[in-house]
Each structure stands twice: as C-alpha cells, then as structure tokens.
C-alpha cells in the first residue's frame, strides 16, 4: 500500500503546537476522517487504519495530544495541559480538516477518551458524523471484578502517589501507556471518582448540542470500557440518533477485540468494513 502521509505542526487555540499526520488518497472520495486517540496512545497506533481508509479515498488525520509523542513539550514536568487543552487539540485538527477540504463530509472517529473530549470541543459542530470506539465514563462503579479493583487503585493510589514524585504521571514506568501531564491526570482522576464523571465539573458540555449521526461501539471482555460505561456516555448524546452497538466477536466470526483490537489490521474485512459502510450510509 502506498504511503502518501505527511506531517505538520499545528498551533491550537491554547497556543500549543501539536503534530498532525495527514494521509492523502491518490483519488479522493470527498470525505475526511479525524482520529482522536485514547489516553496516552501515540498516533502511530492508528496508522494502519488511517492508511487503509486513505487507500479507499478518504483524507485521514491523526495527531498526538499536547504533551504526548510528537507533540511533547521539552519538559513534561512543566507541561500545563489539562483535558480541556486536549479537547482544543481535537478542535484544532477538525478545523484544519475543514479548512483543507471544506466540501468534504467530515467524520470524527474517537477511541476511549477521544469520545469524552467531544463534550469540551467548541468546534464539534464541524463534523457530519461521529464514531466512538470504546469511549466511556471512567467512573469506577461501572466496572466489575478485577477491573473495578484496578480502577480504584488507579484513581486512589497510582495517580495521587506517583504523580507528585515525578511531576507527571509515569505511565511508561508502570507499563501502561505514554507518560501524561500532571494536570491531565489530576482532572481525569477527579472525574473518575464521581458518579457524573465529567458532568460533575462542567454544566455546558457539547453532547446535547450534537445533531449529526453517532455510532457508538463496544466489545465484550473490554476491561477498560465495559458495556455499561459505554452506554453511559452514549446516552449523553440526547439530541441525535445514536446507533449503539455492542459487537459480539463470536457473532461476527472474528477474533476477540477488547479495548485496542479495533484498530488492528486483522479486522480490515470486518470491523473496518462495518465502519466504511456506516460512514457511507450516514
């Protein structure tokens, strides 16, 4: 597959510089996709998915949130990003996509926290459709068994104990994901210990303003985004049609998906095809 990707630096409304990769098709279908990553997951994780859709004619954008990967600041301890900052990163890339191709139909595909950032994104009105992949509430009571214990340890021990020591959340040392700015994890933790999650901190979130079609996907045995947690976030899109699907791998005759599988190339003929079909019909 030919790689027509290029990278650029983009300044957000917060004045931060983030790195964006653009995957250009050889022949456009007049549709664009922006992929908004999970917490601490590098944009390169989504590159095979982006290349595939670029080969289908889509113009695809991936990016690293400020403080992560190619958007890292020189000293993570001094990084002042919070989750509102990351939402402005998402907004900046949507704006770029619309400016580059104003005639394109624009789809936002989110993974994990990317779907939560929609609520803080002032430019979400630019999109024509939204697909959330395992985007959920992180409130610990939506989790079961060991996953609930893990979330309790995460919110009440790992973040508050390790972040002050390092000046950022040392996720890489803990074998989790990329290191994350301290204000991001402190705000994330504040949400995660409250039943209303991010709604406990904001009264003017964007979810109820969204009128475009939304597809919300989740998968069994996803210990980071159980069905009830994904249902909770999907229910916040109160003024649009939400196509809510909890996909059973056995029914689709595919391997287990869990939290990170959707973006792996082995699902090209199944989950990626489902995605293409949904975008075409919405």
């Amino acid at each position: 597959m030919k790689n027509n990707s290029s990278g650029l630096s983009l300044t957000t409304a917060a004045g931060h510089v983030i790195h964006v990769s653009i995957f250009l098709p050889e022949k456009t279908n007049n549709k664009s996709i922006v992929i908004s990553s999970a917490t601490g997951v590098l944009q390169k994780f989504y590159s095979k998915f982006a290349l595939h859709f670029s080969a289908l004619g889509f113009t695809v954008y991936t990016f690293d949130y400020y403080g992560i990967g190619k958007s890292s600041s020189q000293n993570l301890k001094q990084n002042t990003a919070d989750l509102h900052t990351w939402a402005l990163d998402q907004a900046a890339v949507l704006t770029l996509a619309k400016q580059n191709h104003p005639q394109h139909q624009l789809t936002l595909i989110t993974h994990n926290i990317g779907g939560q950032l929609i609520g803080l994104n002032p430019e979400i009105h630019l999109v024509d459709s939204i697909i959330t992949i395992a985007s959920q509430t992180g409130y610990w009571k939506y989790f079961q068994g060991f996953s609930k214990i893990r979330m309790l340890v995460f919110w009440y021990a790992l973040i508050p104990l390790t972040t002050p020591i390092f000046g950022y959340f040392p996720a890489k040392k803990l074998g989790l994901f990329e290191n994350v700015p301290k204000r991001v994890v402190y705000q994330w933790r504040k949400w995660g210990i409250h039943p209303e999650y991010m709604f406990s901190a904001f009264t003017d979130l964007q979810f109820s303003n969204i009128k475009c079609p939304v597809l919300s996907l989740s998968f069994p045995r996803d210990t980071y985004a159980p069905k009830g947690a994904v249902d909770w976030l999907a229910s916040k899109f109160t003024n649009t049609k939400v196509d809510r699907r909890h996909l059973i791998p056995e029914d689709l005759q595919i391997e287990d998906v869990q939290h990170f599988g959707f973006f792996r190339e082995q699902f090209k003929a199944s989950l990626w095809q489902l995605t293409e079909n949904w975008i075409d019909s919405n």
Side-chain angles (χ1 to χ4, degrees):
M1 184 182 297
K2 186 176 180 181
N3 186 341
N4 288 327
S5 65
S6 61
L8 58 83
S9 296
L10 178 66
T11 302
T12 72
H16 299 142
V17 177
I18 62 172
H19 185 273
V20 182
S21 296
I22 306 175
F23 299 79
L24 295 170
E26 292 188 14
K27 184 178 180 180
T28 184
N29 62 2
N30 294 318
K31 296 176 183 176
S32 294
I33 292 173
V34 170
I35 300 173
S36 193
S37 310
T39 309
V41 176
L42 299 175
Q43 62 176 311
K44 67 181 180 181
F45 176 75
Y46 307 95
S47 61
K48 289 184 178 179
F49 183 88
L51 282 168
H52 172 76
F53 276 84
S54 176
L56 295 174
F58 292 84
T59 301
V60 186
Y61 299 77
T62 64
F63 65 99
D64 288 322
Y65 301 120
Y66 182 60
I68 302 295
K70 292 184 177 180
S71 300
S72 294
S73 53
Q74 290 185 343
N75 187 343
L76 191 56
K77 291 182 181 181
Q78 303 303 319
N79 187 291
T80 59
D82 60 12
L83 289 165
H84 185 258
T85 304
W86 282 11
L88 294 179
D89 296 346
Q90 186 186 89
V93 182
L94 291 179
T95 301
L96 173 68
K98 206 64 179 177
Q99 289 175 343
N100 283 349
H101 298 100
Q103 78 281 11
H104 280 199
Q105 294 292 302
L106 178 58
T107 299
L108 173 64
I109 298 181
T110 73
H111 187 202
N112 185 272
I113 206 166
Q116 301 165 27
L117 297 177
I118 288 170
L120 296 169
N121 182 344
E123 305 300 336
I124 197 64
H125 60 90
L126 296 175
V127 305
D128 299 291
S129 60
I130 296 170
I131 300 174
T132 68
I133 311 299
S135 291
Q136 77 293 49
T137 174
Y139 180 52
W140 61 272
K141 284 192 175 181
Y142 281 93
F143 296 74
Q144 304 295 325
F146 175 75
S147 296
K148 179 182 283 188
I149 296 171
R150 183 181 60 196
M151 293 303 292
L152 281 168
V153 170
F154 188 66
W155 297 137
Y156 287 97
L158 286 183
I159 289 175
L161 292 178
T162 63
T163 307
I165 295 171
F166 289 88
Y168 55 86
F169 182 58
K172 291 181 76 171
K173 290 184 181 295
L174 299 170
L176 297 173
F177 36 78
E178 296 297 305
N179 296 331
V180 178
K182 57 181 178 290
R183 290 189 181 181
V184 169
V185 291
Y186 285 150
Q187 187 178 26
W188 194 25
R189 177 191 180 274
K190 188 175 180 180
W191 296 357
I193 63 176
H194 196 286
E196 290 303 310
Y197 198 56
M198 63 192 301
F199 282 77
S200 65
F202 300 95
T203 58
D204 56 346
L205 294 170
Q206 295 291 328
F207 296 106
S208 61
N209 296 327
I210 292 168
K211 304 291 175 61
C212 69
V214 176
L215 172 64
S216 170
L217 300 182
S218 61
F219 307 94
R221 298 176 290 279
D222 182 346
T223 58
Y224 294 96
K227 182 178 182 298
V230 179
D231 287 341
W232 183 92
L233 189 67
S235 73
K236 301 306 179 182
F237 296 92
T238 53
N239 285 314
T240 190
K241 174 187 175 183
V242 178
D243 186 349
R244 176 73 182 93
R245 304 188 196 184
H246 187 63
L247 299 177
I248 312 299
E250 293 81 2
D251 292 347
L252 299 173
Q253 297 183 319
I254 59 175
E255 296 177 42
D256 218 354
V257 182
Q258 298 186 39
H259 195 64
F260 294 98
F262 179 89
F263 294 97
R264 295 190 172 120
E265 203 168 13
Q266 69 201 68
F267 297 113
K268 181 187 298 186
S270 53
L271 300 177
W272 295 7
Q273 183 64 56
L274 179 155
T275 303
E276 181 191 357
N277 293 344
W278 189 87
I279 293 173
D280 285 345
S281 62
N282 286 275

